[in-house]
Amino acid sequence: TTEVPVGKFVAISANIPAPVLHELMPALSRALVPGGALFLAGFIAKEQASLDAAARLNGLCPTAVHEVRGWLGLTYVRSRPE
């Protein structure tokens, strides 16, 4: 199993494959403070849509996409309570 550190963080970065990110997305979102940023890398463009969907389901909003030689980096921000 893969574990996410316990606590609340302003930013988290992860450079791991998309299937693992899907599994961890709920825990990563819970570990962020409202307004906190999640930086993801280590996957290809065709995996972006499913990662965006998983992020949205867990209260994260996509804010940036970076591509270098076919590899993506995505940034998400955790929603603030209303």
Side-chain angles (χ1 to χ4, degrees):
T1 64
T2 305
E3 296 181 25
V4 173
V6 175
K8 291 292 185 179
F9 303 91
V10 174
I12 298 172
S13 65
N15 184 357
I16 52 180
V20 178
L21 290 170
H22 281 281
E23 178 185 327
L24 294 178
M25 196 69 73
L28 291 169
S29 180
R30 283 191 307 272
L32 285 170
V33 297
L38 177 61
F39 304 101
L40 303 180
F43 45 86
I44 56 176
K46 71 178 185 178
E47 297 170 309
Q48 180 183 353
S50 65
L51 287 168
D52 284 352
R56 284 186 177 99
L57 285 173
N58 287 283
L60 298 167
C61 302
T63 59
V65 179
H66 303 279
E67 189 260 325
V68 176
R69 288 182 248 134
W71 292 96
L72 289 186
L74 302 175
T75 302
Y76 301 95
V77 173
R78 184 163 183 240
S79 302
R80 294 181 182 272
E82 305 205 11

